[in-house]
Amino acid sequence: MIELSNVSKTYGSGESAVHALKDINLHVPKGTIHGVIGLSGAGKSTLIRCVNLLERPTQGSVTVDGQEMMRLNRSALNQARHRIGMIFQHFNLLTTRNVFDNVALPLELMGEKRSAIQSRVLPLLEMVGLADKAKQYPAQLSGGQKQRVAIARALASKPNVLLCDEATSALDPQTTGSILELLRDINRQLGITILLITHEMEVVKSICHRVSLISNGQLVEDAEVGDFFTAP
Ligand code: ADP
Ligand code: ADP
């Protein structure tokens, strides 16, 4: 479902060049939850942003659902991005829009009719457990509730891939647990492939099928979660 082949990313050039990713090969099969773990500055954020081309790799190729992302023109890339949801550490909700209108935003941008938006957003809010919060504003919600809104928004365009950039790092352990449970349900019930990055072992242990370890821009290990955490 997601394939990175020989992906490198360098920020800047000459003396100040930062080699954030070095020859990354990563294969995430359809329907799996794949974790990428590593220290701050290892390149996790750059890696996940290369999947939907928020960052363009300097070298290599990125294939998502059979489409070679770097070969797409602007409009085809926009279409492809509808199939790739993303959630972030700090939720990135629009503070001037209520919960309903945050989730509706991607559908509005796609030009959907109001009636279609209504019938899509309400079930999504139910799925994330926020049906009774549709009229509230982000400032009135807890961190966990904000992330649930962001998840509903990410699912609005019916993606088959969900990218999670430190999605639980701003949450307390209990809330983290409930968000991970929601992500697990989304993977199981909707068959959505999940790529998540985190610096927390517990996140990987609790929901990932496979895990890659990234260090200084290189993938240094790639294993089943069970094998990864087995003592030598
Ligand atoms: P992580 O997500 O693991 O913390 P990042 O991908 O954010 O790692 O960063 C990897 C390296 O690339 C770091 O050295 C970081 O400072 C650098 N970096 C990230 N984004 C940029 C940027 N836009 N410009 C220059 N350097 C960057
Ligand atoms: P996070 O770790 O929460 O993703 P960061 O503070 O690392 O956030 O980065 C925030 C933004 O700044 C990102 O868009 C990233 O690409 C950019 N960035 C990170 N490191 C650098 C850097 N050394 N130089 C320029 N931009 C950077």
Side-chain angles (χ1 to χ4, degrees), residues 57-123:
T58 316
Q59 275 177 43
S61 74
V62 176
T63 307
V64 182
D65 201 13
Q67 288 193 296
E68 216 179 298
M69 299 293 284
M70 298 218 284
R71 295 220 174 140
L72 302 178
N73 63 27
R74 180 181 283 267
S75 98
L77 177 59
N78 252 325
Q79 291 298 317
R81 281 177 171 157
H82 293 151
R83 307 264 77 88
I84 307 174
M86 189 164 188
I87 59 173
F88 305 89
Q89 178 173 1
H90 298 295
F91 325 120
N92 296 11
L93 299 178
L94 296 179
T95 54
T96 58
R97 284 183 161 233
N98 67 25
V99 166
F100 183 100
D101 290 335
N102 264 282
V103 177
L105 182 65
L107 299 167
E108 288 171 18
L109 295 176
M110 288 163 74
E112 298 281 349
K113 291 206 199 82
R114 197 67 197 168
S115 59
I117 292 176
Q118 282 274 352
S119 57
R120 179 85 188 126
V121 171
L122 295 174

Side-chain angles (χ1 to χ4, degrees), residues 11 45 49 55 89-90 165:
Y11 293 107
S45 204
R49 293 159 65 91
E55 295 288 355
Q89 178 173 1
H90 298 295
D165 185 347

